[in-house]
Amino acid sequence: MVEFAFQPEEELRRELARFSRWLGRLGFTPGTSGNLSVRLDRHRLLVTPTGMSKALLKASDMVIVDMHGGLLEGTRKVTSEISMHLAVYHRRADVGAVVHSHPPIATAFACSGRALDEMLCQEAVMTLGVVPLASYATTGTDEVAASLVPHILGHDAILMANHGVVSYGETLTDAFLKMETVEHLAQVALVAHQLGSAQPLEVEQVEQLHAARARYLRNAGIAMEIEEAAEVEDRAGLVL
């Protein structure tokens, strides 16, 4: 299990409410659709409840469930799509948050049986790579989780046939940004094909971008280690 620096529950409740509102403002969660979750610790998840507008959620509305989806705390009901979240958490120890929503253009691709698998712009390679299309499954059933399983390990976002999108990452911010990026890439693909002259990157260009991404991640990791070391030194200085 990856060691997360788990945030306090009250802080995560506020984050869930904030990101829910942002998704609502973007038009990704019309009506009461969509759901978000985050790890509280190794054994519990904090999840948005069912049947509520994401734009109107308050921190106190969130519910706590175990790693089987059983309600532990909260006055509202657990989302009927909790199995989708659990499928990701059980297979990705590095994931700390999951977002499911219905961004309109990406969802249109999913409703047209089309994955986002063309590398049309450099950002696609540098961020998500291929966003696959999971097979059709009836919402609220275990079929949804089963349809995602073949794609979870190799990807950080998945289109769901005739349904929507799920994205996941180390933090809620990470998962949210990936959802936003999926919609951006879908819009680029749509317009490029409408223009009639979409030009996917060549294999060699994709390989160069993969190398550039590896360097970026390596440098970012080094920078993070330096920052963490500095924080440790600062704390030690305070103690002394």
Side-chain angles (χ1 to χ4, degrees):
M1 176 74 180
V2 172
E3 289 298 328
F4 288 99
F6 294 110
Q7 297 171 254
E9 180 182 326
E10 287 306 311
E11 186 176 331
L12 289 174
R13 285 179 176 272
R14 289 193 296 270
E15 280 201 6
L16 273 175
R18 182 167 66 251
F19 282 109
S20 292
R21 288 194 297 271
W22 285 354
L23 287 167
R25 289 168 185 161
L26 287 169
F28 289 10
T29 55
T32 61
S33 65
N35 32 77
L36 302 81
S37 67
V38 63
R39 289 188 193 267
L40 269 177
D41 51 43
R42 291 186 179 185
H43 310 291
R44 299 179 303 157
L45 303 175
L46 189 64
V47 188
T48 55
T50 191
M52 293 191 69
S53 165
K54 302 304 161 297
L56 301 177
L57 280 177
K58 302 185 297 294
S60 58
D61 291 321
M62 311 307 168
V63 298
I64 298 175
V65 303
D66 60 27
M67 296 306 291
H68 301 287
L71 180 64
L72 297 175
E73 296 181 36
T75 59
R76 300 189 181 279
K77 293 183 178 180
V78 182
T79 171
S80 61
E81 296 185 311
I82 188 62
S83 64
M84 176 196 315
H85 297 249
L86 294 171
V88 176
Y89 289 119
H90 286 316
R91 288 162 180 81
R92 290 285 298 269
D94 60 318
V95 166
V98 176
V99 172
H100 166 55
S101 71
H102 302 158
I105 300 176
T107 300
F109 270 77
C111 292
S112 301
R114 295 184 60 172
L116 291 170
D117 52 7
E118 281 187 301
M119 296 299 101
L120 293 171
C121 61
Q122 296 185 22
E123 185 184 3
V125 182
M126 296 293 284
T127 55
L128 291 174
V130 170
V131 181
L133 175 67
S135 58
Y136 179 80
T138 303
T139 184
T141 70
D142 291 338
E143 295 174 1
V144 175
S147 72
L148 297 176
V149 168
H151 309 288
I152 291 172
L153 289 179
H155 305 277
D156 290 334
I158 305 169
L159 300 185
M160 306 164 68
N162 304 92
H163 188 164
V165 184
V166 61
S167 63
Y168 34 94
E170 186 175 343
T171 64
L172 271 170
T173 300
D174 188 17
F176 170 82
L177 292 176
K178 286 172 179 171
M179 181 64 68
E180 193 175 38
T181 300
V182 169
E183 180 68 351
H184 169 71
L185 296 178
Q187 186 168 18
V188 168
L190 175 63
V191 175
H193 284 283
Q194 286 176 331
L195 291 171
S197 54
Q199 299 180 30
L201 292 164
E202 301 289 342
V203 173
E204 182 179 350
Q205 293 170 324
V206 171
E207 290 175 350
Q208 291 171 347
L209 289 167
H210 281 152
R213 184 174 188 270
R215 288 195 299 272
Y216 169 79
L217 292 175
R218 183 168 59 252
N219 292 336
I222 292 172
M224 186 174 295
E225 289 177 5
I226 293 173
E227 184 177 337
E228 290 174 350
E231 289 178 356
V232 170
E233 289 182 1
D234 289 342
R235 287 197 296 269
L238 290 172
V239 171
L240 295 175

